[in-house]
Structures are given as C-alpha cells and as structure tokens.
C-alpha cells in the first residue's frame, strides 16, 4: 500500500493524526463539524486583569529597574542606609509609572487595531456566488 488515505484528502496515513487541519473544498457541513478555530487576531501583550503584575515583572527584568529595587531594599536596613528609603522610591516609582502608562497606551492602540481588523467584512464564495 502507498500509505495514501482518501478519507483525509490524500494525506499519507498518520499525517492526519498529527494535528493537521484537513479542509474539504465545497463541503461546509464537514468543515463545520471540525470545530476549527476562528480567524480572530490578537496582538495585545496584556489582559486587563493581569496588566499590573505582568508589566511589573517585565519592567523588573530590566537591569536598571532591578538595580534600583535592590538599592531601595538595602535603604530599608538602617545600619547601611546612606539616604532615606523614600529618596530611592520616588524616582523608581516615577520610571515604573511612566513606562507602565506608555505600555498601557500602546496595548490599547493594539487592541483598537485588532478590533478594527476583526470587524472587517469579508466575502465568501458559496455556490459560485460571493
């Protein structure tokens, strides 16, 4: 046997079991049964409920922000503190806030763009009619 399986549109035996999407041309009933994912596009980085945590993790992965956080933690130890802890906290909060607002703005713009693209009307060829 050649290993070709007609049931799966000419794929070799075993290929259809590897998660490949098999579409049948002009067979909407078969294709509807397959529960294929839709064509929804999402390029956003964050979800509304996880923005603060994900954004802070991303920001503290930057060496400069992690360094200032370490300095802030050391400033909380009175025996080694050269300055008050809030003097280190204010610039760190400023940088984190500005970067956070910029990231939120960029992500909202991406969400708007995705929404616009996902709501475009499309034409589908059914029985030789668009």
């Amino acid at each position: 046997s050649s290993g070709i399986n007609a049931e799966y549109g000419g794929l070799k035996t075993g290929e259809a079991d590897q998660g490949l999407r098999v579409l049948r041309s002009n067979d909407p009933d078969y294709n509807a049964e397959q529960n294929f994912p839709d064509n929804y596009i999402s390029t956003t980085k964050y979800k509304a409920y996880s923005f603060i945590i994900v954004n802070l993790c991303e920001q503290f992965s930057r060496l400069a922000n992690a360094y200032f956080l370490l300095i802030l933690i050391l400033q909380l130890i009175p025996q080694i503190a050269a300055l008050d802890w809030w003097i280190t906290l204010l610039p760190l909060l400023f940088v984190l806030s500005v970067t956070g607002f910029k990231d939120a703005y960029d992500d909202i713009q991406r969400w708007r763009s995705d929404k616009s693209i996902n709501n475009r009307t499309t034409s589908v060829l059914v029985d030789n009619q668009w």
Side-chain angles (χ1 to χ4, degrees), residues 11 15 45 53 61 68 70 75 82 88 92-93 100 114 121 124:
L11 291 176
E15 285 182 358
K45 286 174 72 175
I53 293 171
S61 69
F68 279 105
L70 177 65
Q75 293 296 330
T88 307
L92 181 61
L93 282 180
D114 293 346
T121 56
V124 177

Side-chain angles (χ1 to χ4, degrees), residues 6-9 22-28 30-31 36:
E7 179 183 351
Y8 292 109
V22 178
L23 298 174
R24 290 185 183 169
S25 205
N26 295 321
D27 192 353
Y30 171 80
N31 293 332
F36 292 126

Side-chain angles (χ1 to χ4, degrees), residues 7-59:
E7 179 183 351
Y8 292 109
L11 291 176
K12 292 182 181 176
T13 304
E15 285 182 358
D17 299 330
Q18 296 176 4
L20 298 175
R21 289 176 27 157
V22 178
L23 298 174
R24 290 185 183 169
S25 205
N26 295 321
D27 192 353
D29 296 329
Y30 171 80
N31 293 332
E33 291 174 4
Q34 303 307 310
N35 295 321
F36 292 126
D38 58 10
N39 290 330
Y40 178 79
I41 294 173
S42 178
T43 59
T44 58
K45 286 174 72 175
Y46 308 102
K47 302 289 184 201
Y49 58 85
S50 65
F51 173 77
I52 293 176
I53 293 171
V54 173
N55 188 262
L56 285 176
C57 288
E58 187 177 285
Q59 288 195 52

